[in-house]
Amino acid sequence: MTTEIIRLDNVGKRYDDFQVLQGINLSVRQGEKIVICGPSGSGKSTLIRCINRLSPHDTGTITVENQDVASKQGSANVRREVGMVFQNFNLFPHLTVLENCTLAPMKVRGIAHAQAEEQALRYLNRVHIGSQAQKKPGQLSGGQQQRVAIARALCMNPKVMLFDEPTSALDPEMVGEVLDVMTELALEGMTMLCVTHEMGFARKVADRVVFMDAGQIVETGAPTEFFEQPKHPRLQAFLSQISH
């Protein structure tokens, strides 16, 4: 039986009077690929951000590798072991692509500069952008910048990758190149949680698809069951809208 790597028990999150997350229960096993979808404002991105402590949860518990992320040790473990790819790249504009990828391994993991550069070039080549290593992010297309962001996260050798709508800021013709890289990662066995509206990607890659609405997990299932036999009326309505 594969190891459970992330667990959320009755997780809640509130912003002032607005309950963003309520009673979230989710378990992620090593090597599992989970796609989270749902309408805007359903709490998808907040859920991802709570896992890596960018947005601390208010109630319940979140554990990564059996460590509570709210603890000092657990929080440090999350920074080392959980990679994050954002909607808007979040690259340092004044650094080269290579420097963006070597910074965290050197600062957080204490890797020597030469080793960090060698590793960064390996991952940049893996996402098919090694030739751009000496350029600044502003010289690249959106799709290229997002592939750099993926390489940067991989340079920390994470055990889990979190993706928060990684293609939503891209022009349509650039979406495919990023999804191709993500698909390669999935096929290589990376544990992934991905918030996305790309349902073709979900069908192809996900082990489970999670549907959220109004801060709650409404339905979860394997892709075939999820898309072809949705049970909850809210999911049925959501799928009917995105299929047109």
Side-chain angles (χ1 to χ4, degrees):
M1 196 174 189
T2 51
T3 308
E4 181 181 79
I5 197 164
I6 297 174
R7 185 177 183 87
L8 291 82
D9 289 304
N10 201 31
V11 170
K13 172 70 179 176
R14 175 183 291 274
Y15 290 121
D16 297 323
D17 293 332
F18 182 54
Q19 190 75 40
V20 191
L21 298 175
Q22 184 174 352
I24 298 292
N25 295 295
L26 184 65
S27 173
V28 184
R29 298 198 170 277
Q30 189 173 348
E32 198 171 17
K33 273 69 70 178
I34 294 179
V35 168
I36 303 171
C37 62
S40 297
S42 59
K44 308 181 299 295
S45 292
T46 301
L47 174 60
I48 289 280
R49 293 171 71 87
C50 283
I51 292 172
N52 72 352
R53 296 295 286 168
L54 284 175
S55 181
H57 58 290
D58 300 322
T59 57
T61 57
I62 300 175
T63 58
V64 175
E65 295 189 300
N66 295 316
Q67 293 189 37
D68 188 336
V69 300
S71 70
K72 185 176 180 180
Q73 185 176 2
S75 182
N77 185 55
V78 162
R79 283 196 295 275
R80 286 193 308 269
E81 307 297 351
V82 178
M84 179 83 178
V85 177
F86 299 89
Q87 181 175 334
N88 293 312
F89 323 137
N90 286 16
L91 299 171
F92 293 111
H94 62 291
L95 300 180
T96 65
V97 163
L98 187 62
E99 290 166 339
N100 265 281
C101 291
T102 58
L103 187 62
M106 290 167 61
K107 294 280 188 184
V108 179
R109 291 203 184 272
I111 294 175
H113 182 261
Q115 183 185 350
E117 282 202 343
E118 181 185 346
Q119 175 182 258
L121 285 169
R122 186 168 71 249
Y123 282 119
L124 287 168
N125 285 322
R126 184 174 170 183
V127 300
H128 317 298
I129 202 162
S131 61
Q132 311 295 325
Q134 298 304 327
K135 291 185 177 180
K136 299 283 180 65
Q139 297 174 274
L140 306 180
S141 70
Q144 289 175 320
Q145 289 186 62
Q146 192 61 294
R147 283 188 280 152
V148 172
I150 293 171
R152 177 182 61 180
L154 290 173
C155 282
M156 285 293 286
N157 295 305
K159 294 180 180 174
V160 182
M161 287 281 281
L162 308 177
F163 295 88
D164 185 10
E165 302 201 29
T167 60
S168 62
L170 301 178
D171 292 333
E173 64 269 22
M174 297 176 186
V175 170
E177 65 187 64
V178 173
L179 291 178
D180 286 347
V181 167
M182 291 170 62
T183 300
E184 287 175 22
L185 286 178
L187 294 174
E188 290 167 10
M190 174 64 75
T191 308
M192 296 168 59
L193 273 82
C194 182
V195 172
T196 184
H197 294 291
E198 301 292 339
M199 295 298 101
F201 173 78
R203 283 179 180 268
K204 183 177 181 180
V205 167
D207 296 306
R208 279 188 290 155
V209 188
V210 173
F211 176 70
M212 292 185 66
D213 188 38
Q216 296 178 301
I217 292 177
V218 174
E219 189 164 334
T220 303
T224 302
E225 176 189 10
F226 184 91
F227 289 108
E228 296 178 12
Q229 297 175 311
K231 298 177 183 65
H232 197 281
R234 188 66 190 87
L235 175 56
Q236 293 169 359
F238 176 78
L239 291 176
S240 69
Q241 289 173 339
I242 63 171
S243 63
H244 290 107

